[in-house]
Amino acid sequence: MPLHRKALAFFAAVSTFSVVSTTAQAADYHVYRSINCGANPCYISFPFPSPGKTLTLKNFSCYLRMPQSSDLYGAQLLRHSFGFPLVAITPSLYKQNTVRTSATVLEDVFVSNDTIHAVVSGYDYFQAYAEARNGSTGAVGTISQFACHISGTLTP
């Protein structure tokens, strides 16, 4: 084999190795989603991990705003597998403050910031859930805004 072909073969092998070595490293993963629900329950679906990748979550944080006439009924981070919920992580939502969103509407703001350890891959994904009820009647309440952020690492 001529020398220039040997050199090309060597550089091709080195290039392939460096690509493999780069893709084998973990990558930071951050996704933020926000919705205005109105009627509830509210669901925020986070994207599936890329094929062949594993997502390890380390943090889950949420912001929830609703009229004072509604009470927080439930909030969870669901881990789904093939569309079925498997694991529920309940965030530590606490009432942060009350804001005036119009001349006549006061809304309660709830926040959470939780350190977690949860893993998905393949057809698994995470979904945030929140639900409000009317405190005096138990009827379905209203959620004005529901926003969540997940972060962790994505590995091959």
Side-chain angles (χ1 to χ4, degrees), residues 105-126:
V105 177
L106 288 173
E107 293 192 321
D108 291 332
V109 173
F110 294 83
V111 295
S112 73
N113 187 19
D114 294 283
T115 300
I116 63 171
H117 180 81
V119 179
V120 295
S121 61
Y123 294 100
D124 299 351
Y125 67 98
F126 289 106

Side-chain angles (χ1 to χ4, degrees), residues 55-131:
L55 173 59
T56 303
L57 284 191
K58 297 177 182 177
N59 184 268
F60 171 56
S61 58
C62 285
Y63 169 93
L64 188 92
R65 196 180 78 236
M66 64 180 135
Q68 284 190 318
S69 60
S70 295
D71 291 327
L72 183 59
Y73 182 72
Q76 293 180 322
L77 178 65
L78 306 171
R79 178 181 167 260
H80 286 266
S81 184
F82 294 95
F84 298 100
L86 292 178
V87 176
I89 299 165
T90 303
S92 54
L93 279 164
Y94 65 94
K95 184 176 173 182
Q96 182 182 32
N97 61 12
T98 302
V99 295
R100 183 174 297 281
T101 55
S102 72
T104 58
V105 177
L106 288 173
E107 293 192 321
D108 291 332
V109 173
F110 294 83
V111 295
S112 73
N113 187 19
D114 294 283
T115 300
I116 63 171
H117 180 81
V119 179
V120 295
S121 61
Y123 294 100
D124 299 351
Y125 67 98
F126 289 106
Q127 184 179 57
Y129 151 84
E131 188 172 351

